[in-house]
Every structure is written in structure tokens, then in C-alpha cells.
Amino acid sequence: MSTLSFKVLDLDFPVGSKNKTATLVTGESEMLLVDAAFTRADGHRLAAEILDSGKKLTTVFVSHADPDFYFGAEVIADAFPDAVFVATPLVIEHIAHSYEGKLKAWEALGPNLPTRLVDLTPLTGDLIFEGHRFQLKGGPATLPDRHYLWQAEHRALLGGVLLFQQEHVWVADTPHPPPTARPGPACWTKWPHSSPSWSCPGTACPAPPPTPPPSPPPAPTWSPSRRNSARRPTAPH
């Protein structure tokens, strides 16, 4: 079985603010990408990282349906036409339903917006990469579209929208139950009970620390979805 390495890349959300990450998992001859960036420009940056590695991109896991997880996918799909893009059925459904509205909400991006959706293959179970199992976890009844990958050998959490570092959790899109359907505390209370640490015992770093460590670890053991600066729930997302 091959040895894996993990590289977390800081990306834009919105443009000019490093509030988003993607993770490249490298094996002996192949690469797995977790999340596909917010802009076409960052899609090109991810493609360049993969090309420079000399490895073959086989799989892209889109872990959530917000645009900062998939707007850059078009560029990556064009650069690597043999790569398979996967997401859970709920994420695929949400993207198809919300895509046009997200384009309008972020029209200020101009040519940095995608021009099409890439084909997404439903992922309903674990993902196997070079003999290593990445368990599909999450999706609790309270927040059924919140999934992430758990790699037990490396005690690594990847993707999802449940881990944040030096960041206010984004709650603007988490609604009240009907009839109000407005963002608010009725649904915010579900977040603590959806922490990946509950279902991944022994995680090396199950959630970002409140302050940065004095020096980075030799290899990432978690992949926060957004980080570095606080985001207030006032902008479209």
C-alpha cells in the first residue's frame, strides 16, 4: 500500500481573502483533490499544483454545495478530463437547485465565475484511493448535507463545512424551521452536535485550536473548510 501525503492550500473566499482551503492527497502515482475552490483563478492554481506534481488526478471530492467548494471545478475538469468528480446525492441536488442563484449572487466576480457545472457522480459510501479507505462520515439527521472524509490510518479529517480555524462559523444559510425559514439560533444549536470529533475517536486534531500553534505540524491532520479571518453573515454565500 502506498504512502500518502497531505497538502492544504489556502484559497480565496471572497477574492483577496484567504478564507477557503482545498486539500491535495498524494499517493504513489495518483492524486485526490478534496474541494475545488471558489474561483476559476484558484481552479487554475490547483491545476498547476497537480501538474507540477507529475501525478495523475483521479478523483475530486466536492464535500459541500456552497460555491466556494465547486466554482473552480470547471477549470480542473478541463485540465484533467479523466478525473471523476464525486459528491453526495444531497450535495449534487443542492448544487443543481442553487447554481443559477449563486451565479447572480456573485456576479461581481465576472470572468472568475464558472461557465458550466461539471458532472458529479453520486458518492454514497467510502472512497478508496490507492488502497486507502477514506470513510464518508457525517450527514446527521439535523444537518444531512454535512459530510466529510475520515482517513483512519493518518487520523485525518478532510472537507466538509464543520471545521473552522480562527473563524466565526458561517450560520447565515442555516435557517429556522418553517414557517419562518430565516437564519437563526433555532438551527444554530445543531452545529455543536455535528462535530466530526464525535464520530472519529483518536483524531490527532479533531477541531482547529482557538489560537495558532507555535509551529505547524509536519503533516496536516485536519482540513478546515475556511480559515484565517472572521466572516460576518452579511454577504451572499
Side-chain angles (χ1 to χ4, degrees), residues 3 12 49 146 187:
T3 300
D12 280 356
E49 285 275 347
R146 269 42 172 190
C187 283

Side-chain angles (χ1 to χ4, degrees), residues 7-139:
K7 183 174 183 179
V8 179
L9 295 100
D10 287 314
L11 303 173
D12 280 356
F13 184 70
V15 174
S17 298
K18 299 300 181 186
N19 290 328
K20 183 71 184 78
T21 63
T23 305
L24 286 170
V25 184
T26 303
E28 182 177 354
S29 60
E30 299 177 352
M31 296 194 83
L32 160 69
L33 173 63
V34 179
D35 296 324
F38 175 58
T39 63
R40 289 174 54 85
D42 271 344
H44 283 291
R45 292 181 183 99
L46 289 173
E49 285 275 347
I50 298 164
L51 287 170
D52 284 343
S53 75
K55 310 285 185 176
K56 178 182 179 181
L57 179 67
T58 58
T59 309
V60 180
F61 173 57
V62 176
S63 67
H64 195 61
D66 288 338
D68 46 321
F69 289 77
Y70 72 89
F71 265 13
E74 172 189 16
V75 170
I76 299 165
D78 289 343
F80 307 99
D82 294 332
V84 178
F85 288 71
V86 300
T88 64
L90 275 177
V91 166
I92 294 173
E93 180 183 356
H94 187 176
I95 289 175
H97 176 74
S98 62
Y99 175 67
E100 293 298 331
K102 297 300 184 183
L103 290 180
K104 292 178 181 178
W106 292 102
E107 61 185 355
L109 291 177
N112 237 344
L113 285 171
T115 64
R116 73 179 195 280
L117 285 174
V118 303
D119 292 331
L120 293 170
T121 299
L123 181 69
T124 57
D126 297 345
L127 191 156
I128 306 299
F129 173 71
E130 287 204 356
H132 297 271
R133 182 177 298 276
F134 289 73
Q135 294 175 265
L136 181 65
K137 286 185 169 287

Side-chain angles (χ1 to χ4, degrees), residues 142-143 171 174-177 184-195 198:
T142 51
L143 293 170
V171 293
T174 305
H176 278 295
C187 283
W188 298 349
T189 56
K190 298 176 182 178
W191 279 76
H193 305 290
S194 302
S195 168
W198 310 144

